[in-house]
Amino acid sequence: MNVYDMQQKILQLKKEKDVCILAHSYVAREISEIADFTGDSYGLSVQAAKVPNQTVLMCGVRFMAETCKILSPEKRVLLSNPLAGGPMAEQMDKDMISQVKEMYPDYLVMAYVNTTAELKTIADVCVTSSSAVQIAKAVESDKILFIPDCNLGAFVAKQVPEKTFKLLQGGCPIHAAVKPEAVKQMKALHPEALVLVHPECVPAVTEQADYVGSTTGIMAYAKKSDAKEFIIGTEISIAEHLQYDCPDKMFYPLTKHLICPNMKSTTLVDVYRNLTGEFGEEIQLDDETIRLARRCIDNMIRLGG
Ligand code: CIZ
């Protein structure tokens, strides 16, 4: 079956089975084309809660499907590929952070959304890469333990110098591997291009950027900008989607190594097989985990996330 025929079959099945398909912006184009919604993890989980469909299929990674389940416990939430974990989300667990909390009892625990549901149960507030600065300023505490991404944490700490941050050695290995020299090389090759990077990159990379922001922030910035060329420092799919969306502009991935194997582990065939019930995983979270994890997401929403 060719890609177009497979997409038509998926669209037909999704209608018959009343499934809402969510595609994170890091997944491949042919999946985003058949999705009901595309975007970042938080935006997708909010959409999932609003739609009338009782089943939602998250084409992304596990923490994203868990976030959907936390916000829509009554719905059937499917993860497109059971193997699509997330190295960052799995780096720190509840036991480890409970011990760190004992060492710093007066620190508020701020968890990036890229964490497991279990870890969210002991966090005080959740943040996304686009809301982290605003929320760090808004929380009452002036001492913040930021988990798990030390690069995002360092970026936030720099914007909020009036507060004290504790960072742990965690983060996204794909973004963290981008070298500052790569920015210099790409700028030399494309001197007119603006550099847009994700705050999961190391400070020596973000410091050279014209704009630092979330996936949604980078896409919105590039679409609105009058500039014609952009170097994109996040997962390679973002440069690809932007190239489709803005054919009058040029998008260059900052490096060709910015490929997330977990985000890319869902194929169009997987999506089809989720709809036929042959593949995928229904997310199961107990009521207590949902209740406690929901508290830190609600705090994020209350503080302007
Ligand atoms: O939360 C998300 O969707 C991720 C992984 C990144 C972002 O910047 O949107």
Side-chain angles (χ1 to χ4, degrees):
M1 211 185 303
N2 66 31
V3 168
Y4 177 78
D5 290 344
M6 176 78 65
Q7 286 180 320
Q8 296 310 306
K9 278 217 174 292
I10 289 172
L11 291 173
Q12 191 188 328
L13 270 174
K14 153 174 119 60
K15 204 166 159 194
E16 275 168 31
K17 305 214 168 180
D18 191 29
V19 178
C20 170
I21 300 185
L22 309 171
H24 191 273
S25 307
Y26 286 160
V27 301
R29 187 77 195 169
E30 64 270 21
I31 297 176
S32 65
E33 282 172 353
I34 48 84
D36 294 284
F37 298 100
T38 59
D40 61 29
S41 64
Y42 176 62
L44 291 175
S45 62
V46 170
Q47 292 296 348
K50 285 187 192 157
V51 294
N53 315 73
Q54 274 311 297
T55 304
V56 292
L57 167 58
M58 168 55 84
C59 302
V61 297
R62 183 168 298 275
F63 89 83
M64 299 173 180
E66 285 186 349
T67 309
C68 288
K69 185 70 184 173
I70 294 165
L71 290 185
S72 307
E74 73 294 352
K75 294 192 178 177
R76 206 169 142 246
V77 177
L78 305 174
L79 171 62
S80 53
N81 183 342
L83 298 176
M88 172 164 9
E90 286 151 20
Q91 276 158 2
M92 294 176 193
D93 64 16
K94 195 175 157 188
D95 289 345
M96 177 195 166
I97 297 302
S98 300
Q99 284 173 28
V100 180
K101 271 175 73 152
E102 277 174 28
M103 287 159 66
Y104 303 106
D106 51 344
Y107 276 70
L108 170 135
V109 180
M110 183 172 282
Y112 188 21
V113 67
N114 199 333
T115 41
T116 62
E118 197 199 25
L119 191 46
K120 286 187 179 80
T121 63
I122 57 160
D124 296 304
V125 64
C126 194
V127 294
T128 61
S129 45
S130 51
S131 64
V133 171
Q134 187 187 338
I135 292 176
K137 285 182 180 165
V139 288
E140 268 183 27
S141 175
D142 57 3
K143 291 182 179 158
I144 298 173
L145 171 65
F146 192 97
I147 56 168
D149 189 317
C150 61
N151 292 323
L152 176 60
F155 176 75
V156 177
K158 206 169 166 196
Q159 320 292 312
V160 192
E162 65 278 19
K163 301 209 173 181
T164 306
F165 285 77
K166 280 256 173 284
L167 309 176
L168 303 179
Q169 280 308 310
C172 168
I174 315 292
H175 282 94
V178 178
K179 299 268 181 293
E181 297 73 43
V183 184
K184 292 189 180 66
Q185 282 161 7
M186 286 301 282
K187 272 180 154 177
L189 279 174
H190 307 287
E192 300 297 317
L194 294 183
V195 179
L196 318 183
V197 310
H198 199 279
E200 290 174 19
C201 293
V202 297
V205 168
T206 53
E207 279 156 12
Q208 297 183 68
D210 296 290
Y211 172 80
V212 182
S214 65
T215 52
T216 304
I218 288 176
M219 291 181 86
Y221 185 100
K223 286 178 186 179
K224 238 173 78 184
S225 170
D226 291 333
K228 291 288 177 210
E229 291 179 76
F230 302 87
I231 295 164
I232 304 295
T234 189
E235 218 280 343
I236 212 155
S237 282
I238 299 296
E240 287 171 6
H241 295 315
L242 281 168
Q243 197 60 62
Y244 276 100
D245 295 347
C246 312
D248 57 325
K249 299 180 176 179
M250 293 291 275
F251 298 93
Y252 314 110
L254 175 50
T255 92
K256 296 280 166 63
H257 301 295
L258 270 163
I259 298 174
C260 173
N262 284 287
M263 292 299 315
K264 291 286 180 288
S265 70
T266 296
T267 64
L268 196 61
V269 174
D270 291 340
V271 179
Y272 173 76
R273 294 180 72 229
N274 266 266
L275 295 175
T276 59
E278 295 164 88
F279 191 63
E281 177 185 329
E282 180 176 352
I283 297 293
Q284 307 281 357
L285 295 175
D286 62 65
D287 293 348
E288 190 62 356
T289 301
I290 290 178
R291 189 180 69 79
L292 292 172
R294 169 96 200 211
R295 213 191 33 173
C296 85
I297 296 180
D298 284 344
N299 282 339
M300 166 171 86
I301 297 167
R302 182 175 57 79
L303 293 166

